[in-house]
Amino acid sequence: MNARRMRASLRGWGGVGAMAVVCALAAVFALLLPRTQPGGADGPTGGRGAAQGDQARAEACEKPEERSLAPSSGDLDGAAVQKIRKRGKLVVGVDQNSLGWGYRDPNSASNGSGSKDSASNGSDLKGFDIDLARAIAKDILGDETQIIFRAVPTDQRIPKIQEGKVDMVVRTMTIDCDRLKLVSFSSPYFQTGQQVLAPKGSGITGYDDGSLAGKRVCSAKGSTALEHLEADKADGTLPASTNIRTTVPNQLDCLVRLQLGEVDAVVTDGALAASQAAQDPTVQVVGEPFTDEFYGVAMKKDGADDLIRRVNQILEDYRKNGWQTSYDDHLKKYLGASSGPPEVAYK
Protein backbone atom coordinates (compact mmCIF):
# COMPACT_ATOMS: atom_id res chain seq x y z
CA MET A 1 0.00 0.00 0.00
CA ASN A 2 1.45 3.37 -0.95
CA ALA A 3 1.46 6.33 1.43
CA ARG A 4 -1.59 7.95 -0.15
CA ARG A 5 -3.72 4.83 0.25
CA MET A 6 -2.45 4.26 3.76
CA ARG A 7 -3.56 7.76 4.75
CA ALA A 8 -6.94 7.18 3.17
CA SER A 9 -7.40 3.96 5.10
CA LEU A 10 -6.30 5.34 8.46
CA ARG A 11 -7.41 8.97 8.82
CA GLY A 12 -11.04 9.60 9.70
CA TRP A 13 -11.77 5.90 10.34
CA GLY A 14 -9.94 2.89 11.54
CA GLY A 15 -10.28 0.54 8.60
CA VAL A 16 -12.71 -2.21 7.77
CA GLY A 17 -11.29 -4.88 10.03
CA ALA A 18 -13.27 -3.75 13.06
CA MET A 19 -16.51 -3.90 11.14
CA ALA A 20 -16.82 -7.64 11.61
CA VAL A 21 -18.25 -6.99 15.06
CA VAL A 22 -21.49 -5.70 13.57
CA CYS A 23 -22.38 -8.85 11.65
CA ALA A 24 -24.45 -10.15 14.55
CA LEU A 25 -26.51 -6.96 14.46
CA ALA A 26 -26.86 -6.80 10.69
CA ALA A 27 -30.17 -8.64 10.55
CA VAL A 28 -31.64 -6.26 13.12
CA PHE A 29 -30.50 -3.19 11.18
CA ALA A 30 -31.86 -4.67 7.97
CA LEU A 31 -35.29 -5.07 9.57
CA LEU A 32 -35.28 -1.61 11.10
CA LEU A 33 -33.96 0.20 8.05
CA PRO A 34 -34.82 -1.81 4.96
CA ARG A 35 -34.13 1.15 2.70
CA THR A 36 -30.89 2.22 4.40
CA GLN A 37 -27.10 1.38 3.82
CA PRO A 38 -17.90 -5.50 6.75
CA GLY A 39 -16.04 -7.63 7.21
CA GLY A 40 -13.13 -6.60 5.06
CA ALA A 41 -11.11 -8.88 2.87
CA ASP A 42 -7.67 -7.83 1.82
CA GLY A 43 -6.91 -8.03 -1.83
CA PRO A 44 -4.96 -6.43 -4.67
CA THR A 45 -5.70 -2.78 -5.36
CA GLY A 46 -5.82 -0.88 -8.60
CA GLY A 47 -2.18 -1.44 -9.44
CA ARG A 48 -0.01 0.61 -11.73
CA GLY A 49 -2.80 1.64 -14.09
CA ALA A 50 -4.92 3.00 -11.26
CA ALA A 51 -1.96 4.90 -9.86
CA GLN A 52 -1.29 6.46 -13.26
CA GLY A 53 -4.95 7.43 -13.65
CA ASP A 54 -5.06 8.94 -10.16
CA GLN A 55 -1.82 10.83 -10.79
CA ALA A 56 -3.10 12.35 -14.03
CA ARG A 57 -6.27 13.56 -12.38
CA ALA A 58 -4.39 14.81 -9.30
CA GLU A 59 -2.14 16.96 -11.51
CA ALA A 60 -5.22 18.61 -13.01
CA CYS A 61 -6.88 19.17 -9.64
CA GLU A 62 -4.70 19.39 -6.57
CA LYS A 63 -6.02 19.52 -3.02
CA PRO A 64 -9.58 20.77 -3.54
CA GLU A 65 -10.14 20.22 0.18
CA GLU A 66 -7.78 23.17 0.86
CA ARG A 67 -9.75 25.75 -1.15
CA SER A 68 -12.31 26.91 1.38
CA LEU A 69 -12.44 30.37 2.95
CA ALA A 70 -10.68 30.90 6.27
CA PRO A 71 -13.04 31.88 9.11
CA SER A 72 -10.61 34.41 10.54
CA SER A 73 -10.32 36.69 7.49
CA GLY A 74 -13.84 37.86 6.74
CA ASP A 75 -17.39 38.59 7.89
CA LEU A 76 -19.02 35.67 9.72
CA ASP A 77 -22.40 37.33 10.09
CA GLY A 78 -23.29 38.81 6.71
CA ALA A 79 -26.32 38.67 4.43
CA ALA A 80 -26.50 34.89 4.04
CA VAL A 81 -26.38 34.27 7.79
CA GLN A 82 -28.89 37.08 8.45
CA LYS A 83 -31.29 35.56 5.91
CA ILE A 84 -31.28 32.32 7.91
CA ARG A 85 -31.83 34.22 11.17
CA LYS A 86 -34.73 36.20 9.70
CA ARG A 87 -36.37 32.97 8.56
CA GLY A 88 -35.75 31.43 11.97
CA LYS A 89 -34.87 28.03 10.53
CA LEU A 90 -31.79 26.46 8.95
CA VAL A 91 -32.72 24.36 5.91
CA VAL A 92 -30.33 21.46 5.39
CA GLY A 93 -30.22 18.77 2.72
CA VAL A 94 -29.44 15.38 4.26
CA ASP A 95 -29.74 11.66 3.72
CA GLN A 96 -32.36 9.72 5.65
CA ASN A 97 -31.36 6.21 4.52
CA SER A 98 -27.64 6.01 5.31
CA LEU A 99 -26.95 4.07 8.49
CA GLY A 100 -24.54 5.95 10.75
CA TRP A 101 -24.67 9.13 8.66
CA GLY A 102 -28.27 10.22 8.23
CA TYR A 103 -31.12 7.80 8.88
CA ARG A 104 -34.55 7.64 10.46
CA ASP A 105 -34.55 5.86 13.81
CA PRO A 106 -37.91 4.08 14.16
CA ASN A 107 -37.51 4.08 17.94
CA SER A 108 -37.53 7.89 18.13
CA ALA A 109 -40.64 10.03 17.99
CA SER A 110 -40.82 12.94 15.58
CA ASN A 111 -43.43 15.47 14.62
CA GLY A 112 -42.03 15.30 11.10
CA SER A 113 -41.97 11.51 10.79
CA GLY A 114 -43.00 10.17 7.43
CA SER A 115 -42.36 13.44 5.60
CA LYS A 116 -39.46 14.36 3.39
CA ASP A 117 -39.35 17.67 5.26
CA SER A 118 -39.15 17.57 9.03
CA ALA A 119 -40.43 21.06 9.70
CA SER A 120 -39.91 20.70 13.46
CA ASN A 121 -36.65 19.25 14.67
CA GLY A 122 -36.70 15.89 12.85
CA SER A 123 -35.99 14.13 16.14
CA ASP A 124 -36.12 10.69 14.53
CA LEU A 125 -33.17 11.57 12.29
CA LYS A 126 -29.85 10.30 13.60
CA GLY A 127 -26.28 10.11 12.38
CA PHE A 128 -22.90 11.78 12.11
CA ASP A 129 -24.04 14.27 9.46
CA ILE A 130 -27.21 15.01 11.41
CA ASP A 131 -25.21 15.87 14.53
CA LEU A 132 -23.10 18.32 12.52
CA ALA A 133 -26.17 19.95 10.97
CA ARG A 134 -27.65 20.44 14.43
CA ALA A 135 -24.39 21.99 15.67
CA ILE A 136 -24.54 24.51 12.82
CA ALA A 137 -28.16 25.37 13.62
CA LYS A 138 -27.32 25.82 17.29
CA ASP A 139 -24.48 28.23 16.52
CA ILE A 140 -26.40 30.37 14.02
CA LEU A 141 -29.84 30.32 15.64
CA GLY A 142 -29.06 29.46 19.25
CA ASP A 143 -31.21 26.33 19.13
CA GLU A 144 -30.34 23.04 17.44
CA THR A 145 -34.01 22.22 16.94
CA GLN A 146 -34.60 25.23 14.67
CA ILE A 147 -33.82 23.21 11.59
CA ILE A 148 -35.67 21.83 8.58
CA PHE A 149 -34.20 18.61 7.21
CA ARG A 150 -34.84 17.95 3.54
CA ALA A 151 -34.03 14.51 2.20
CA VAL A 152 -32.09 14.84 -1.05
CA PRO A 153 -30.86 11.96 -3.24
CA THR A 154 -27.23 11.76 -4.31
CA ASP A 155 -27.81 13.24 -7.75
CA GLN A 156 -29.87 16.19 -6.43
CA ARG A 157 -27.43 17.61 -3.89
CA ILE A 158 -25.98 20.29 -6.18
CA PRO A 159 -29.28 21.22 -7.91
CA LYS A 160 -31.02 21.74 -4.56
CA ILE A 161 -28.28 24.16 -3.48
CA GLN A 162 -28.30 26.04 -6.78
CA GLU A 163 -32.10 26.32 -6.74
CA GLY A 164 -32.06 27.72 -3.21
CA LYS A 165 -34.13 24.85 -1.85
CA VAL A 166 -31.62 24.35 0.97
CA ASP A 167 -29.08 26.56 2.73
CA MET A 168 -26.53 23.78 2.67
CA VAL A 169 -26.08 20.05 2.16
CA VAL A 170 -24.53 17.90 4.88
CA ARG A 171 -24.63 14.50 3.23
CA THR A 172 -21.34 12.58 2.85
CA MET A 173 -20.48 14.92 -0.04
CA THR A 174 -16.94 14.75 -1.35
CA ILE A 175 -15.10 17.97 -2.10
CA ASP A 176 -13.71 17.89 -5.64
CA CYS A 177 -12.71 20.44 -8.25
CA ASP A 178 -15.57 19.76 -10.65
CA ARG A 179 -18.06 20.38 -7.88
CA LEU A 180 -16.22 23.52 -6.81
CA LYS A 181 -17.20 25.02 -10.16
CA LEU A 182 -20.85 24.68 -9.14
CA VAL A 183 -20.99 25.07 -5.34
CA SER A 184 -18.75 26.09 -2.46
CA PHE A 185 -17.55 23.83 0.32
CA SER A 186 -16.55 24.19 3.90
CA SER A 187 -13.24 22.86 5.11
CA PRO A 188 -13.25 19.03 5.33
CA TYR A 189 -14.86 17.29 8.28
CA PHE A 190 -14.22 13.64 7.35
CA GLN A 191 -11.79 11.61 5.25
CA THR A 192 -12.37 8.28 3.56
CA GLY A 193 -11.66 6.65 0.18
CA GLN A 194 -13.42 4.81 -2.63
CA GLN A 195 -13.78 1.04 -2.18
CA VAL A 196 -15.70 -1.91 -3.58
CA LEU A 197 -18.70 -3.62 -1.98
CA ALA A 198 -19.30 -7.16 -3.22
CA PRO A 199 -21.00 -10.39 -2.15
CA LYS A 200 -18.95 -12.70 0.03
CA GLY A 201 -17.54 -15.56 -2.02
CA SER A 202 -17.84 -13.60 -5.27
CA GLY A 203 -14.12 -13.69 -5.98
CA ILE A 204 -14.02 -9.92 -6.29
CA THR A 205 -11.03 -8.71 -4.31
CA GLY A 206 -10.98 -4.97 -4.93
CA TYR A 207 -10.73 -2.25 -7.52
CA ASP A 208 -8.61 -4.10 -10.05
CA ASP A 209 -8.94 -5.40 -13.59
CA GLY A 210 -8.77 -9.04 -12.51
CA SER A 211 -11.77 -8.62 -10.21
CA LEU A 212 -13.94 -6.24 -12.20
CA ALA A 213 -13.33 -7.52 -15.74
CA GLY A 214 -16.70 -8.45 -17.18
CA LYS A 215 -18.49 -7.48 -13.96
CA ARG A 216 -21.63 -5.38 -13.66
CA VAL A 217 -20.83 -2.42 -11.43
CA CYS A 218 -23.27 0.01 -9.81
CA SER A 219 -22.71 3.57 -8.65
CA ALA A 220 -24.87 6.62 -8.06
CA LYS A 221 -25.41 9.45 -10.52
CA GLY A 222 -23.52 12.55 -9.48
CA SER A 223 -21.08 10.59 -7.29
CA THR A 224 -17.29 10.77 -7.34
CA ALA A 225 -17.32 6.97 -7.57
CA LEU A 226 -19.03 7.17 -10.96
CA GLU A 227 -16.52 9.80 -12.07
CA HIS A 228 -13.64 7.46 -11.24
CA LEU A 229 -15.29 4.45 -12.86
CA GLU A 230 -15.91 6.27 -16.13
CA ALA A 231 -12.47 7.89 -16.20
CA ASP A 232 -10.63 4.67 -15.33
CA LYS A 233 -12.52 2.72 -17.96
CA ALA A 234 -11.76 5.40 -20.56
CA ASP A 235 -8.02 5.46 -19.84
CA GLY A 236 -7.66 1.67 -19.57
CA THR A 237 -7.12 1.46 -15.81
CA LEU A 238 -10.20 -0.76 -15.80
CA PRO A 239 -10.79 -3.18 -18.68
CA ALA A 240 -13.29 -2.32 -21.40
CA SER A 241 -15.35 -5.32 -20.31
CA THR A 242 -16.16 -3.66 -16.98
CA ASN A 243 -19.86 -2.95 -17.29
CA ILE A 244 -20.92 0.24 -15.49
CA ARG A 245 -24.37 -1.16 -15.80
CA THR A 246 -26.48 0.70 -13.32
CA THR A 247 -26.43 4.32 -12.25
CA VAL A 248 -29.08 5.17 -9.69
CA PRO A 249 -30.24 8.45 -8.10
CA ASN A 250 -29.33 7.33 -4.59
CA GLN A 251 -26.27 5.37 -3.49
CA LEU A 252 -28.30 3.04 -1.27
CA ASP A 253 -30.19 1.87 -4.36
CA CYS A 254 -26.97 0.15 -5.44
CA LEU A 255 -27.14 -2.11 -2.39
CA VAL A 256 -30.66 -3.09 -3.41
CA ARG A 257 -29.45 -3.88 -6.95
CA LEU A 258 -26.66 -5.97 -5.45
CA GLN A 259 -29.09 -7.87 -3.25
CA LEU A 260 -31.34 -8.55 -6.25
CA GLY A 261 -28.42 -9.91 -8.26
CA GLU A 262 -28.75 -7.20 -10.89
CA VAL A 263 -25.13 -6.11 -10.39
CA ASP A 264 -21.97 -7.85 -9.22
CA ALA A 265 -20.34 -5.03 -7.25
CA VAL A 266 -20.83 -1.51 -5.96
CA VAL A 267 -18.21 1.24 -5.95
CA THR A 268 -18.70 3.97 -3.37
CA ASP A 269 -16.99 5.72 -0.47
CA GLY A 270 -15.59 3.13 1.93
CA ALA A 271 -17.33 4.85 4.85
CA LEU A 272 -20.69 4.43 3.12
CA ALA A 273 -19.89 0.89 1.97
CA ALA A 274 -19.18 -0.11 5.57
CA SER A 275 -22.57 1.09 6.78
CA GLN A 276 -24.26 -0.72 3.89
CA ALA A 277 -22.41 -3.93 4.71
CA ALA A 278 -23.64 -3.62 8.31
CA GLN A 279 -27.18 -4.10 7.02
CA ASP A 280 -26.46 -7.21 4.98
CA PRO A 281 -24.12 -9.93 6.30
CA THR A 282 -23.88 -11.49 2.82
CA VAL A 283 -21.79 -8.58 1.44
CA GLN A 284 -18.44 -7.10 2.42
CA VAL A 285 -16.04 -4.28 1.64
CA VAL A 286 -13.06 -5.60 -0.32
CA GLY A 287 -9.65 -4.18 -1.21
CA GLU A 288 -8.00 -1.00 -0.03
CA PRO A 289 -9.22 2.57 -0.61
CA PHE A 290 -7.99 3.73 -4.02
CA THR A 291 -8.69 7.47 -3.58
CA ASP A 292 -8.60 10.17 -0.93
CA GLU A 293 -12.09 11.56 -0.31
CA PHE A 294 -12.85 14.52 1.96
CA TYR A 295 -16.41 15.34 2.97
CA GLY A 296 -17.43 18.99 3.26
CA VAL A 297 -20.56 21.03 3.87
CA ALA A 298 -21.77 22.28 0.47
CA MET A 299 -23.27 25.78 0.04
CA LYS A 300 -24.04 28.28 -2.71
CA LYS A 301 -21.13 29.37 -4.83
CA ASP A 302 -22.07 33.05 -4.95
CA GLY A 303 -23.37 35.32 -2.21
CA ALA A 304 -22.68 33.01 0.71
CA ASP A 305 -19.10 33.81 1.71
CA ASP A 306 -20.15 34.82 5.22
CA LEU A 307 -22.04 31.54 5.68
CA ILE A 308 -19.04 29.54 4.44
CA ARG A 309 -16.73 31.33 6.86
CA ARG A 310 -19.25 30.89 9.67
CA VAL A 311 -19.53 27.15 9.04
CA ASN A 312 -15.74 26.88 8.95
CA GLN A 313 -15.55 28.58 12.35
CA ILE A 314 -18.17 26.18 13.68
CA LEU A 315 -16.11 23.28 12.33
CA GLU A 316 -12.98 24.63 14.04
CA ASP A 317 -14.80 24.32 17.36
CA TYR A 318 -16.64 21.10 16.48
CA ARG A 319 -13.45 19.20 15.69
CA LYS A 320 -12.28 19.92 19.23
CA ASN A 321 -15.59 19.39 21.01
CA GLY A 322 -18.22 17.20 19.40
CA TRP A 323 -16.61 15.40 16.47
CA GLN A 324 -15.20 12.47 18.42
CA THR A 325 -18.35 11.98 20.49
CA SER A 326 -20.47 11.88 17.34
CA TYR A 327 -18.05 9.48 15.67
CA ASP A 328 -18.12 7.13 18.63
CA ASP A 329 -21.92 7.29 18.80
CA HIS A 330 -22.64 6.67 15.13
CA LEU A 331 -19.65 5.31 13.20
CA LYS A 332 -17.17 3.54 15.46
CA LYS A 333 -19.20 0.30 15.44
CA TYR A 334 -18.87 0.12 11.65
CA LEU A 335 -15.52 1.80 10.96
CA GLY A 336 -13.45 1.00 14.04
CA ALA A 337 -11.37 3.41 16.12
CA SER A 338 -10.72 6.79 14.55
CA SER A 339 -7.53 8.82 14.32
CA GLY A 340 -9.66 11.96 14.46
CA PRO A 341 -10.84 14.53 11.93
CA PRO A 342 -8.69 15.42 8.93
CA GLU A 343 -6.16 18.21 9.08
CA VAL A 344 -7.36 21.50 7.66
CA ALA A 345 -5.78 24.14 5.43
CA TYR A 346 -7.49 27.11 3.80
CA LYS A 347 -6.81 28.83 0.51
Side-chain angles (χ1 to χ4, degrees):
M1 185 193 309
N2 61 31
R4 178 180 62 81
R5 287 184 180 168
M6 182 171 289
R7 287 196 305 272
S9 64
L10 292 179
R11 184 173 298 279
W13 57 291
V16 298
M19 297 171 209
V21 297
V22 303
C23 287
L25 299 175
V28 175
F29 283 125
L31 288 172
L32 292 176
L33 298 164
R35 289 285 297 165
T36 322
Q37 321 208 4
D42 292 333
T45 53
R48 183 177 179 182
Q52 290 172 338
D54 285 346
Q55 182 177 0
R57 284 191 291 276
E59 290 173 354
C61 177
E62 294 183 355
K63 298 186 182 301
E65 70 277 6
E66 296 182 3
R67 298 188 181 188
S68 193
L69 299 171
S72 59
S73 58
D75 186 7
L76 305 184
D77 201 18
V81 172
Q82 289 303 320
K83 181 179 178 180
I84 294 167
R85 285 186 172 153
K86 184 177 181 180
R87 185 196 307 133
K89 298 281 186 179
L90 178 70
V91 184
V92 185
V94 297
D95 199 346
Q96 62 177 4
N97 295 302
S98 184
L99 188 61
W101 293 95
Y103 66 98
R104 291 195 175 276
D105 182 353
N107 296 316
S108 297
S110 172
N111 294 328
S113 180
S115 172
K116 287 186 176 181
D117 287 5
S118 294
S120 59
N121 61 9
S123 60
D124 62 341
L125 280 172
K126 307 292 183 184
F128 189 82
D129 282 342
I130 303 302
D131 283 356
L132 175 55
R134 292 192 193 282
I136 296 171
K138 183 175 182 179
D139 182 272
I140 294 176
L141 295 168
D143 185 346
E144 68 172 25
T145 69
Q146 299 306 304
I147 190 167
I148 298 173
F149 291 111
R150 288 188 174 158
V152 294
T154 305
D155 66 347
Q156 289 298 305
R157 292 175 295 186
I158 289 175
K160 294 301 183 185
I161 295 169
Q162 293 177 322
E163 295 164 7
K165 302 295 187 183
V166 296
D167 296 313
M168 60 188 64
V169 167
V170 186
R171 192 191 181 283
T172 58
M173 190 168 177
T174 298
I175 306 166
D176 76 1
C177 285
D178 287 339
R179 289 174 176 172
L180 282 170
K181 298 173 185 176
L182 304 172
V183 295
S184 292
F185 280 95
S186 71
S187 58
Y189 65 86
F190 198 86
Q191 182 174 359
T192 181
Q194 296 290 325
Q195 286 184 275
V196 177
L197 185 72
K200 294 177 179 178
S202 66
I204 296 174
T205 56
Y207 193 80
D208 59 273
D209 54 6
S211 284
L212 297 182
K215 301 298 185 182
R216 302 163 299 170
V217 181
C218 182
S219 196
K221 296 176 183 177
S223 68
T224 52
L226 181 59
E227 292 176 13
H228 279 280
L229 280 164
E230 292 176 337
D232 287 344
K233 185 173 178 179
D235 67 18
T237 299
L238 291 177
S241 62
T242 302
N243 185 357
I244 308 172
R245 176 167 180 161
T246 303
T247 55
V248 294
N250 224 351
Q251 185 58 52
L252 181 62
D253 295 334
C254 279
L255 177 61
V256 177
R257 299 291 192 274
L258 191 65
Q259 291 168 330
L260 293 174
E262 295 176 3
V263 297
D264 302 304
V266 175
V267 175
T268 186
D269 303 349
L272 287 176
S275 66
Q276 292 178 1
Q279 296 172 76
D280 186 345
T282 69
V283 301
Q284 63 183 357
V285 180
V286 293
E288 297 293 340
F290 60 90
T291 65
D292 283 329
E293 304 276 326
F294 295 88
Y295 296 158
V297 178
M299 291 159 278
K300 288 184 67 174
K301 186 167 179 62
D302 299 314
D305 284 5
D306 63 306
L307 181 58
I308 296 162
R309 294 184 190 278
R310 183 65 176 254
V311 170
N312 281 341
Q313 182 59 61
I314 294 167
L315 283 170
E316 289 283 332
D317 299 332
Y318 192 70
R319 293 184 190 98
K320 300 172 186 175
N321 183 22
W323 191 100
Q324 190 65 54
T325 298
S326 183
Y327 181 94
D328 290 346
D329 286 347
H330 301 296
L331 299 177
K332 185 176 180 179
K333 62 177 68 73
Y334 314 122
L335 302 178
S338 169
S339 58
E343 296 178 0
V344 173
Y346 301 101
K347 67 178 181 180

